[in-house]
Amino acid sequence: MNPKIERRTFLVGGVATASLGLSGALSGADAQAEKVLRIAMTASDIPLTAGGPDNGFEGFRFTGYTIYDALINWDLRPSDKPAALAPGLATSWTADPADRKRWTLKLRQGVKFHDGSTFDADAVIWNIVKLFDDKAPHYDQRASAQIKSRVGSLASWKKIDDSTVELTTRSEDAFFPYQLTFLLISSPAQFEKLGRDWQAFAAQPSGTGPFKLERLQQRERAELVANREYWDAARRPKVDRIILRPIPEASARTAALLAGQVDWIEAVAPDQAAQIAASGARVETNDYPHGWNYMLSYQPDSPFKDIRVRKAINLAIDREGLKQVLNGFMKPAVGMVQPNDPWFGKPGFKITHDPAQARKLLAEAGYGPTNPLTFRVIVSTSGSGQMQPLLMNEFIQQNLADVGVKLELEVMEWGTLLARWRAGAISPQNKGLPALNVSAGLFDPFSAFVRYFDSVYAAPNGFNWGGWSNPDYDALIGKARTTFDIAEQNRLLGEIHSRAVDDALFVWIAHDVNPRGLSKRVKPFVPANSWYVDLTAIELS
Amino acid sequence: MLLFIVKRVLAVMPVVLGVSVICFLLVHIAPGDPLSAVLPLDASQQMASEMSALYGFDQPLVVQYGRWLLRALQGDLGVSIATGRPVLAEVGAAVVNSMILASAATLIGFTLGCVFGFIGGYHRGTVFDRLSSIASVLGVSVPNYWLGMVLVIVFSALLGWLPPTGAGPDGGATWRPDFEHLKYLLMPALTMAAIPMGIVARTVRALVGDILSQDFVMALRAKGMRETAVLAHVIKNAAPTALAVMGIQFGYLLGGSILIETVFAWPGSGLLLNTSIFQRDLPLLQGSILVLALFFVFLNLIVDVVQTLIDPRIRRF
């Protein structure tokens, strides 16, 4: 029998501290004093702020086109068609008719950097040198790694006068203006003022963009304030301040939105959309130049060398069913680009769900119940823009099983998949691998077609992973690349796309719709059909 | 005593070297591309090769390790590939945040664990014992990731009482123990406290039960000592082991909170590790693991020394 002891009350810390919640968590007082837009990004850190953003296009979205302008910007006003190029710090760009490799750019006058210094031709040349000349005193290695390969056509540069620069490409390249959207212009004067230190510059950057960076706390937050003197009066910000927070975990982003901690979250997970809608917040989507497909190998041992197999697999997939699985957060792909794209063309092969036709084509190719087609695809567990890779691939696996095809999924980490993508189907590590599943941006002719269908870019020289090589394609791409009339260029790109669809060069599956969660504070807006969004147009109620 | 400490410190040295080798190699054994941190997703193979050479990833592992160790011995863990900031500064700031969280979790976990364990051990076989056992089993069994999510759903999303993410209203730049910052700390600390609470409770319960059955307790009671005084003896006898268990748990909390810090976006060492893993930021990853591993090694050393001070019988020569 235990002797009695005095009764004591053990105060549990949690009980005492639970009362802390009674006053509410985030008053949002700071958000009411001025118009503050609080954004949760998927990035795990604040993207680089010195003019060469990392973290993919999310970096350009939030610390690129906010703080900086490019020589050529994107027109992000229309939402019913893919974003087109628009004058940025260059008011015009023309290829010399006598030598199409030479481009003359007229520069915008009267533009000031955030630090008050003047934008001119010297600043443009200085910014190109910082990326391309590793011997230059102001060479920025990290920015170069991010940008240099995106401006791959640039061979040389020259100042003509204070308001004109001449850029020369390696060969005739009518797609070159698209590359210049990646060339963000930072202030040489600010770099000098901060002791020629890019790390210091990243903390106090100076561009010409519609927002200025006021505070940077790495891994935690970046605070941008409106640039009230922005050169484009029509695009002066309607909010006073933007707070960027890296919250890579989807559930944590959703929780932050539901709790009123942020007003805007990137990449809503499909299974959390209902919860967001029920809370009074909303999910906005739009067409988005982002394809989620299977790239195919054209190596000798690949079953996809047979066009009937390629078409059969395209016809075996129930994209509408997949859309339901994703709560509607995708668009069924009917090609590399969408039908409202000027480059869609008029493909004859209609990508629908037709299992009977798929079986017929497979039988013609020599596959059937006694000799089923089995193929392997490498997929990632997650990753930038990869949507819901495991869920989606398992659904596709069932679709293919319905037509007698056995799909084997080899799951790996995103970084590993990227390395396998770069290496190409021809590499020893990918020997015997017929396909890989990777999503990618499709925002310009190069990213949508050239890098996949031009034999020059066969891996390891580029992203023609499967090694597709066809002289007709090469000729057509070459013709489009040297056609400087945009309407004619678009027609030729449509022809390339039509041929690619008719040849079923990919297994086209889904287009992402870029779901964003927005609180009631954010006034309704329709995002551009682009990887980017015009944050200057966002209004808060 | 001094000799004992010197011996223990010397014994730690090979462990430290082993830890450095493992830290370095683990990162290289893991799948993935170390260039992910510096290259855009669609960078070409040629660009990847250039960068690989620039960062020395094309050198043999032995050479890479030698260079890394040489710099580390001079206190230079390199710079983050992704951000260009010194690894030591990155890790230092994160460790401070993790220590804040781990300290709060330790306080909560140790307090609750001792209370439940003591009640269970003292009232063996009663309903109190069963209740405390249930609490400790739940603490150990419930996945803390899930628990964190549930707390966020209930207290942030539904009730709106507590902020779901971050370390403070200003982003945790200058953390201080005021009301505003404690609100941010509460949920992650409670989540993190669950497992140590369960482990400490089970340990203390077994200890108290064992000590109460020993002859010296019967002798103390036979001498007519007040029960509270007897309990003081029990606590003193149980303290070294409980302290050792909690010390180890504290070490785990510092380095093993990736899930919790990710769920709550708490800017500590766990989130830093998570970030560096996904960014494939090798110097940051190696530096973070090394610092945390060494921290754990030295924490064990301190616990050993403190234990010896409390209970001289365990001193070994």
Side-chain angles (χ1 to χ4, degrees):
Chain A
M1 188 178 80
N2 278 330
K4 284 185 180 176
I5 61 167
E6 283 181 42
R7 279 198 171 187
R8 291 170 188 262
T9 305
F10 293 103
L11 289 176
V12 177
V15 174
T17 46
S19 61
L20 293 175
L22 294 173
S23 66
L26 270 180
S27 63
D30 58 337
Q32 288 166 14
E34 54 179 352
K35 289 181 181 172
V36 182
L37 176 65
R38 300 160 301 170
I39 296 174
M41 305 178 292
T42 65
S44 50
D45 196 358
I46 303 295
L48 295 174
T49 53
D54 58 351
N55 282 287
F57 298 127
E58 192 177 42
F60 272 88
R61 192 180 301 151
F62 291 122
T63 65
Y65 296 127
T66 47
I67 302 170
Y68 300 95
D69 285 300
L71 289 170
I72 299 174
N73 285 346
W74 291 97
D75 181 1
L76 299 175
R77 289 168 302 178
S79 56
D80 57 344
K81 58 182 181 181
L85 299 179
L89 291 175
T91 53
S92 68
W93 50 94
T94 49
D96 182 348
D99 180 2
R100 294 288 196 181
K101 289 188 289 185
R102 288 170 49 196
W103 289 79
T104 301
L105 284 82
K106 288 289 179 187
L107 304 180
R108 194 173 296 281
Q109 296 301 287
V111 176
K112 298 280 185 189
F113 287 106
H114 299 158
D115 59 287
S117 59
T118 303
F119 164 76
D120 56 15
D122 289 325
V124 173
I125 301 299
W126 186 91
N127 272 276
I128 294 171
V129 169
K130 92 171 182 183
L131 301 173
F132 285 83
D133 182 358
D134 58 7
K135 304 288 185 293
H138 63 289
Y139 175 66
D140 183 354
Q141 183 178 294
R142 280 203 306 280
S144 179
Q146 295 297 328
I147 310 295
K148 189 177 167 184
S149 60
R150 299 191 186 284
V151 195
S153 295
L154 184 62
S156 64
W157 43 89
K158 188 166 72 177
K159 172 185 170 181
I160 304 297
D161 57 42
D162 281 350
S163 61
T164 315
V165 292
E166 185 183 276
L167 305 180
T168 306
T169 55
R170 295 177 199 284
S171 56
E172 280 191 29
D173 189 355
F175 306 149
F176 181 58
Y178 290 101
Q179 297 183 13
L180 295 180
T181 60
F182 292 109
L183 195 60
L184 303 178
I185 304 298
S186 53
S187 165
Q190 180 76 346
F191 180 73
E192 293 295 326
K193 184 180 150 190
L194 294 173
R196 299 187 172 191
D197 178 358
W198 281 117
Q199 204 59 33
F201 188 93
Q204 300 176 66
S206 177
T208 60
F211 291 92
K212 303 174 184 179
L213 183 74
E214 187 182 78
R215 179 182 168 214
L216 176 65
Q217 190 186 338
Q218 282 295 356
R219 306 207 183 277
E220 264 298 300
R221 65 170 55 195
E223 296 193 20
L224 309 175
V225 292
N227 176 8
R228 299 295 175 208
E229 289 80 45
Y230 185 54
W231 55 264
D232 185 351
R235 288 189 63 237
R236 284 184 184 151
K238 295 176 175 62
V239 297
D240 300 312
R241 180 181 296 267
I242 292 177
I243 295 177
L244 301 173
R245 290 196 54 207
I247 306 182
E249 218 283 322
S251 300
R253 282 198 304 278
T254 300
L257 180 70
L258 299 182
Q261 199 176 29
V262 297
D263 307 301
W264 170 310
I265 62 172
E266 290 287 286
V268 171
D271 58 351
Q272 291 166 0
Q275 196 183 1
I276 288 170
S279 75
R282 67 189 188 277
V283 178
E284 299 237 359
T285 61
N286 193 18
D287 285 350
Y288 187 48
H290 182 199
W292 192 96
N293 307 307
Y294 285 0
M295 291 182 195
L296 306 175
S297 167
Y298 296 99
Q299 299 308 303
D301 57 356
S302 170
F304 293 116
K305 283 184 71 67
D306 187 331
I307 187 172
R308 293 168 299 187
V309 175
R310 300 200 297 266
K311 285 189 169 182
I313 301 301
N314 267 293
L315 294 171
I317 295 170
D318 177 11
R319 293 165 184 80
E320 287 297 337
L322 185 60
K323 184 177 175 179
Q324 285 180 14
V325 168
L326 294 177
N327 283 331
F329 286 169
M330 65 163 265
K331 274 203 160 184
V334 289
M336 188 68 90
V337 293
Q338 299 187 56
N340 66 347
D341 197 296
W343 309 327
F344 188 75
K346 294 175 183 169
F349 176 51
K350 301 301 174 197
I351 298 174
T352 57
H353 182 218
D354 190 347
Q357 180 65 8
R359 283 191 205 95
K360 183 169 169 288
L361 285 165
L362 286 166
E364 287 173 13
Y367 297 103
T370 55
N371 177 34
L373 170 65
T374 299
F375 74 94
R376 187 164 50 101
V377 60
I378 55 174
V379 306
S380 66
T381 50
S382 62
S384 172
Q386 287 291 87
M387 299 172 74
Q388 308 289 314
L390 298 181
L391 177 74
M392 292 167 78
N393 277 297
E394 282 165 6
F395 183 86
I396 291 163
Q397 196 174 36
Q398 289 172 12
N399 287 166
L400 297 187
D402 291 343
V403 297
V405 174
K406 188 179 177 195
L407 174 64
E408 295 171 350
L409 302 177
E410 187 182 337
V411 182
M412 60 187 60
E413 188 270 338
W414 175 231
T416 310
L417 185 77
L418 284 178
R420 299 277 292 265
W421 182 22
R422 285 194 191 111
I426 198 168
S427 73
Q429 61 185 318
N430 288 325
K431 186 165 174 54
L433 179 69
L436 93 162
N437 166 222
V438 68
S439 65
L442 313 161
F443 48 86
D444 65 2
F446 180 82
S447 65
F449 308 128
V450 179
R451 62 177 171 169
Y452 298 131
F453 306 141
D454 191 333
S455 62
V456 167
Y457 293 100
N461 298 325
F463 282 96
N464 181 348
W465 180 80
W468 173 255
S469 177
N470 181 314
D472 294 345
Y473 277 78
D474 292 352
L476 204 49
I477 288 168
K479 195 174 175 187
R481 198 194 267 278
T482 52
T483 300
F484 290 78
D485 174 71
I486 295 299
E488 177 60 8
Q489 185 189 99
N490 286 345
R491 191 192 67 75
L492 288 165
L493 291 168
E495 200 176 322
I496 293 166
H497 183 250
S498 300
R499 292 185 73 138
V501 173
D502 291 344
D503 286 335
L505 294 188
F506 272 47
V507 175
W508 285 289
I509 300 164
H511 288 289
D512 194 3
V513 290
N514 196 24
R516 284 191 178 100
L518 302 169
S519 77
K520 283 182 272 192
R521 292 183 68 236
V522 182
K523 285 187 179 176
F525 78 101
V526 183
N529 181 344
S530 167
W531 278 79
Y532 313 115
V533 60
D534 187 359
L535 291 171
T536 65
I538 306 302
E539 292 184 78
L540 297 176
S541 54
Chain B
M1 185 65 201
L2 186 66
L3 186 64
F4 168 77
I5 292 171
V6 169
K7 279 186 172 181
R8 286 292 291 112
V9 170
L10 286 175
V12 158
M13 291 305 160
V15 175
V16 169
L17 194 68
V19 161
S20 76
V21 173
I22 291 167
C23 285
F24 183 84
L25 288 180
L26 264 180
V27 170
H28 283 278
I29 291 166
D33 183 359
L35 295 168
S36 301
V38 284
L39 287 175
L41 297 182
D42 50 0
S44 66
Q45 188 69 27
Q46 182 196 345
M47 192 76 192
S49 302
E50 281 178 27
M51 282 294 146
S52 182
L54 193 66
Y55 284 96
F57 295 139
D58 58 340
Q59 297 293 315
L61 276 186
V62 177
V63 174
Q64 288 187 54
Y65 172 70
R67 288 176 179 170
W68 178 71
L69 186 65
L70 206 63
R71 283 203 312 266
L73 288 172
Q74 297 165 48
D76 174 16
L77 293 176
V79 295
S80 157
I81 292 178
T83 66
R85 297 190 297 269
V87 167
L88 210 54
E90 291 257 28
V91 178
V95 163
V96 168
N97 286 328
S98 276
M99 281 183 78
I100 291 165
L101 182 55
S103 301
T106 302
L107 189 70
I108 295 169
F110 193 63
T111 306
L112 291 179
C114 286
V115 169
F116 289 137
F118 195 88
I119 290 170
Y122 193 80
H123 298 285
R124 277 290 174 107
T126 66
V127 68
F128 296 111
D129 183 20
R130 288 197 190 93
L131 287 172
S132 71
S133 292
I134 288 168
S136 61
V137 167
L138 280 176
V140 174
S141 311
V142 170
N144 51 23
Y145 182 81
W146 177 84
L147 177 63
M149 302 272 266
V150 168
L151 288 179
V152 165
I153 290 166
V154 173
F155 293 103
S156 295
L158 296 179
L159 299 174
W161 286 0
L162 293 169
T165 61
D170 58 349
T174 51
W175 201 91
R176 52 194 177 276
D178 59 11
F179 180 72
E180 275 304 313
H181 285 83
L182 286 173
K183 284 194 301 189
Y184 284 82
L185 178 65
L186 183 58
M187 279 199 295
L190 277 173
T191 307
M192 195 181 259
I195 290 176
M197 182 274 289
I199 290 170
V200 170
R202 291 199 305 193
T203 306
V204 170
R205 179 181 176 273
L207 280 170
V208 169
D210 181 49
I211 293 165
L212 282 171
S213 66
Q214 287 181 17
D215 291 345
F216 84 91
V217 174
M218 193 182 291
L220 291 174
R221 284 176 176 158
K223 284 166 64 181
M225 188 177 277
R226 284 174 52 211
E227 192 61 22
T228 49
V230 172
L231 289 182
H233 280 277
V234 172
I235 289 166
K236 194 178 175 185
N237 275 271
T241 310
L243 189 74
V245 169
M246 200 60 234
I248 291 167
Q249 287 305 310
F250 184 60
Y252 284 140
L253 295 187
L254 280 176
S257 54
I258 288 182
L259 290 178
I260 294 170
E261 289 184 2
T262 302
V263 166
F264 292 101
W266 182 272
S269 51
L271 188 59
L272 185 71
L273 274 174
N274 190 29
T275 302
S276 52
I277 288 166
F278 280 102
Q279 288 184 323
R280 280 289 175 280
D281 192 339
L282 287 202
L284 186 57
L285 193 53
Q286 287 163 337
S288 305
I289 297 171
L290 182 69
V291 169
L292 293 172
L294 292 183
F295 194 88
F296 192 69
V297 166
F298 288 112
L299 196 72
N300 270 327
L301 178 67
I302 291 163
V303 169
D304 273 3
V305 171
V306 171
Q307 259 190 305
T308 312
L309 288 170
I310 293 173
D311 184 359
R313 290 173 301 173
I314 59 172
R315 193 178 304 168
R316 296 176 293 275
F317 291 100

